[in-house]
Amino acid sequence: FESRAPSLASPLAFGALVAFVMNLVTLPLVAQRAHVSLRLDMKASRDASEWIGRLAGSWGLKRATAQAAERALVELTELLQSRGIDKVGLRSTRSEDRIELDLIWSGQPLPEPTGAPTPEDLLGSVESQEQFMVWLATRGALRFTQRVHNQMCEARLIFED
């Protein structure tokens, strides 16, 4: 080993390499997951806010991360409720330095957020209003993606913690 990789032959370098590999191997074991099905009724925003608040407390999320995730979740559940969708699945995963928040529902996907929203977006068409709402929801996220699979829509927001 010393002749093939002399830079890794020192105990310190070898120990660091072992620690790095063990971190990669055990990372899926330390990821935290939670899921819930939420009825989109008059108290849906409060229920969504309470759910993410409980997760933030039990997972030890930073305050800014918890607030951004809560704002996004409340905004998107209100948008889905305004579309007449009656139920949404919420799934969250926390790994080392980020939280992924998934919303799963049956129906049409959300519009892509506007690049630079204007006050006219609020007075425009329903689609421009929805684009504005999606922008509001996703502005604190690192990434926002959507996909449609088997007539189910899934929106994923990733927040850095």
Side-chain angles (χ1 to χ4, degrees):
F1 183 74
E2 191 172 327
S3 65
R4 300 246 185 223
S7 61
L8 296 177
S10 76
L12 183 61
F14 187 72
L17 179 64
V18 169
F20 177 74
V21 170
M22 290 305 293
N23 185 38
L24 289 177
V25 169
T26 61
L27 190 58
L29 300 175
V30 296
Q32 296 169 307
R33 293 176 177 80
H35 58 86
V36 69
S37 183
L38 186 67
R39 289 189 44 78
L40 296 179
D41 54 15
M42 296 304 289
K43 58 184 191 123
S45 295
R46 184 183 50 145
D47 291 345
S49 180
E50 289 174 357
W51 181 73
I52 200 72
R54 284 191 303 272
L55 286 182
S58 66
W59 290 355
L61 297 180
K62 294 178 183 171
R63 184 180 179 112
T65 305
Q67 288 174 337
E70 180 183 1
R71 278 192 305 265
L73 187 56
V74 167
E75 195 71 41
L76 292 177
T77 54
E78 287 178 0
L79 173 56
L80 292 172
Q81 184 181 11
S82 73
R83 287 180 158 192
I85 295 170
D86 61 344
K87 185 172 70 169
V88 65
L90 303 176
R91 185 174 58 208
S92 187
T93 305
R94 180 178 187 262
S95 55
E96 206 169 317
D97 63 345
R98 63 182 48 192
I99 179 173
E100 296 176 2
L101 183 60
D102 298 328
L103 288 87
I104 303 125
W105 69 95
S106 177
Q108 296 297 313
L110 300 171
E112 290 300 314
T114 56
T118 64
E120 290 78 30
D121 290 336
L122 290 175
L123 302 173
S125 66
V126 172
E127 184 176 348
S128 65
Q129 292 174 8
E130 286 185 350
Q131 286 177 319
F132 186 80
M133 290 174 77
V134 173
W135 175 81
L136 279 174
T138 61
R139 70 180 192 257
L142 222 67
R143 192 173 345 144
F144 170 70
T145 58
Q146 292 188 86
R147 72 182 185 119
V148 178
H149 182 67
N150 293 337
Q151 300 178 354
M152 296 297 288
C153 295
E154 180 179 312
R156 172 170 284 176
L157 294 118
I158 298 176
F159 299 92
E160 187 174 3
D161 188 35

